Amino acid sequence: MNWWIRQACTTTAAVIIGGCSSVLACPMCFGAEETSMVDGTKLGVLVLLAITLAVQGGFVGFFLYLRKRAKRIADVELDTEWSELQRSPRTS
């Protein structure tokens, strides 16, 4: 039970210390409306998002390619097996 109380106190202290408004922004952009630093930050966020989406899109495209290729190979194997079954003489 002591561990839970100590954990709750630590969490509460971290929220109180980290929750003050002075740590929400750096002094350069805290209160600044439209400076070049804010514009640069916004552009940086957009570039990082674009890179992340491009990488994720590459993964999706790769897995779609693999799915299409597996289906094509399965169809070829099925056609090959079917043609072999039709060529073989029936023995009963």
Side-chain angles (χ1 to χ4, degrees), residues 1-17:
M1 193 68 164
N2 262 345
W3 184 80
W4 290 103
I5 294 172
R6 191 171 11 157
Q7 186 71 21
C9 288
T10 304
T11 304
T12 304
V15 168
I16 290 173
I17 292 171

Side-chain angles (χ1 to χ4, degrees), residues 11 18 25-26 29-30 34 50 53 58 63-64 69 80 83 88 90:
T11 304
C26 65
C29 54
F30 184 72
E34 288 297 322
L53 291 176
F63 286 117
L64 289 175
R69 182 176 175 216
T80 305
S83 64
S88 64
R90 293 187 179 171

Side-chain angles (χ1 to χ4, degrees), residues 6-61:
R6 191 171 11 157
Q7 186 71 21
C9 288
T10 304
T11 304
T12 304
V15 168
I16 290 173
I17 292 171
C20 64
S21 63
S22 64
V23 294
L24 293 179
C26 65
M28 286 298 288
C29 54
F30 184 72
E33 293 178 12
E34 288 297 322
T35 63
S36 61
M37 182 167 262
V38 173
D39 292 337
T41 304
K42 288 179 184 179
L43 183 61
V45 168
L46 290 176
V47 168
L48 289 175
L49 282 173
I51 291 172
T52 302
L53 291 176
V55 170
Q56 287 180 347
F59 277 117
V60 168

